[in-house]
Amino acid sequence: MLQTQLKDLGSSRLHETNTQRDISPASRRAFRLSRVRRPAAAAMGAFIAKMLLPTVSSLVFLPTASVAAKRGFHMEAMVYFFTMFFTAIYHACDGPGLSILCFMRYDVLEYFTVYGTALSMWVTLIALGDFDEPQRSSVTMFGVLTIAVRIYQDRWGYGIYSAPIGSAVFIITVKWLQKMKQCRAVYPEKAVYTQQVGPGCCFGALALMLRFYFEEWDYAYVHSFYHLSLAVSFVLLLPKKNRYAGTGRNAAKLSFWALCCCSMSPGSTKEKMAKTLAKKKKSSSRTVWTVPTEKLLAGRCSTPILPVYNPPSSAPAEGTSVSRLKEMNGWK
């Protein structure tokens, strides 16, 4: 009898663990809401605050995007902001009184939330690898495409995060080992391992443990700490400066006008325009890619005829005798 009860208890827990993967998004949403114990009417305010905690904690990715933009990683900053936006809207649809913010279907918000999180992990690790162009852009685009296909197939398996993390770690390891072989020294410096890689990996591992193993304890609090640990991991793993963003006055800056392609960066607009005009004035050569700015015959002659060839004057230069000129021209 006791063995039968233990088997029933184990099967019920296994069914509860796999519920989120098998049921529809609407049922999964109701299951997650049921994990929070509904209090009495006197504690309704605390219950509402607890339900809104995952939504508020998702805003922690906003400082992460700000730090990334400050360091010159503008693409990574946009990915973090993308993740923050869809994560906040996704959790707001679960909260009471915020269903008006659900401007998309629940399963679409769910997809972009998971996709943005996995993509944030990928671009952070690729930035840590410090690849040269065009390897950097090629590897980044490879992850963007493959992660989209992988998450569309399964949004709740362990592979949604382990696959991009494992692939990025493998690529970074190969690249750093090659650098160590060329330099015959530790690459990068030991401070990078002790101040960035080590603490960042610890917070990332903590975030994944909270996400996959401890959410059953209390979804609101555990998932909020998951957001916080993940954001701290991104800040620690991201390098201190993007070497492709420029330095000093030529540093690239991310602004609204730059996103709208209305300003020139790096450098200021006036200085860049002045340098461009100076180069155009100095260069007089024409190629197949340049178009003359003025007509060839306009303003130079009043009659529409071709310009006449004027031979050079045949007067001898001063200090040169006539006999010497004849010898130079082969005359006798």
Side-chain angles (χ1 to χ4, degrees):
M1 185 66 180
L2 180 60
Q3 294 179 354
T4 305
Q5 293 179 355
L6 291 175
K7 288 182 180 180
D8 295 339
L9 180 60
S11 60
S12 62
R13 289 185 177 180
L14 180 62
H15 175 72
E16 182 180 356
T17 304
N18 298 329
T19 302
Q20 293 186 355
R21 192 179 304 175
D22 298 335
I23 61 179
S24 61
S27 302
R28 183 163 52 247
R29 178 185 177 186
F31 170 78
R32 186 162 56 251
L33 291 176
S34 64
R35 300 297 302 175
V36 182
R37 296 180 179 179
R38 296 183 179 275
M44 185 58 66
F47 171 73
I48 294 177
K50 186 177 181 180
M51 290 299 301
L52 294 178
L53 191 59
T55 304
V56 177
S57 64
S58 61
L59 299 179
V60 75
F61 291 107
L62 188 59
T64 306
S66 177
V67 171
K70 185 70 174 179
R71 296 179 181 179
F73 294 94
H74 299 153
M75 180 190 67
E76 289 77 4
M78 296 181 67
V79 174
Y80 299 152
F81 184 82
F82 175 88
T83 304
M84 180 214 67
F85 177 78
F86 280 99
T87 303
I89 299 299
Y90 170 69
H91 289 297
C93 293
D94 292 337
L98 296 178
S99 58
I100 191 174
L101 298 177
C102 301
F103 61 95
M104 291 184 179
R105 297 197 313 270
Y106 191 77
D107 58 338
V108 176
L109 294 174
E110 183 181 70
Y111 172 81
F112 282 116
T113 300
V114 180
Y115 175 70
T117 305
L119 188 59
S120 299
M121 298 178 182
W122 176 261
V123 298
T124 303
L125 292 175
I126 297 303
L128 176 65
D130 194 20
F131 292 91
D132 296 327
E133 292 292 347
Q135 288 84 6
R136 181 172 179 266
S137 57
S138 302
V139 173
T140 302
M141 185 54 61
F142 172 77
V144 170
L145 299 177
T146 53
I147 291 173
V149 177
R150 177 64 181 86
I151 295 179
Y152 184 82
Q153 181 182 2
D154 183 14
R155 304 177 192 174
W156 296 103
Y158 296 106
I160 58 176
Y161 299 141
S162 62
I165 291 175
S167 302
V169 169
F170 175 76
I171 295 173
I172 293 173
T173 303
V174 172
K175 194 251 186 182
W176 284 3
L177 288 178
Q178 291 178 352
K179 286 286 187 180
M180 290 180 185
K181 185 177 180 181
Q182 294 176 0
C183 303
R184 298 183 181 276
V186 178
Y187 180 86
E189 295 80 5
K190 294 182 179 180
V192 176
Y193 291 98
T194 57
Q195 299 178 8
Q196 291 182 237
V197 179
C201 291
C202 291
F203 275 97
L206 175 62
L208 294 178
M209 290 176 61
L210 293 175
R211 168 67 177 79
F212 289 104
Y213 296 105
F214 297 101
E215 275 193 350
E216 295 182 358
W217 290 6
D218 197 318
Y219 177 81
Y221 292 116
V222 173
H223 200 78
S224 299
F225 278 108
Y226 157 71
H227 289 163
L228 180 61
S229 301
L230 196 62
V232 173
S233 175
F234 292 157
V235 173
L236 291 174
L237 290 175
L238 204 63
K240 301 300 182 182
K241 190 66 178 177
N242 185 7
R243 59 190 178 96
Y244 292 103
T247 57
R249 301 179 62 182
N250 293 327
K253 298 180 180 179
L254 182 63
S255 61
F256 175 77
W257 300 109
L259 294 176
C260 296
C261 302
C262 298
S263 64
M264 305 177 65
S265 181
S268 62
T269 306
K270 293 183 179 180
E271 294 179 356
K272 195 71 175 180
M273 289 295 294
K275 292 181 180 179
T276 305
L277 293 176
K279 289 181 180 180
K280 286 184 178 180
K281 290 181 180 180
K282 290 182 180 180
S283 62
S284 58
S285 60
R286 291 176 54 193
T287 63
V288 294
W289 305 111
T290 58
V291 180
T293 56
E294 61 178 2
K295 297 181 181 180
L296 294 177
L297 304 178
R300 296 185 181 181
C301 59
S302 59
T303 58
I305 60 174
L306 293 176
V308 182
Y309 173 74
N310 296 322
S313 60
S314 58
E318 295 182 359
T320 306
S321 62
V322 178
S323 60
R324 180 60 178 168
L325 290 175
K326 288 182 179 182
E327 291 179 2
M328 292 173 60
N329 294 327
W331 297 348
K332 295 182 180 180

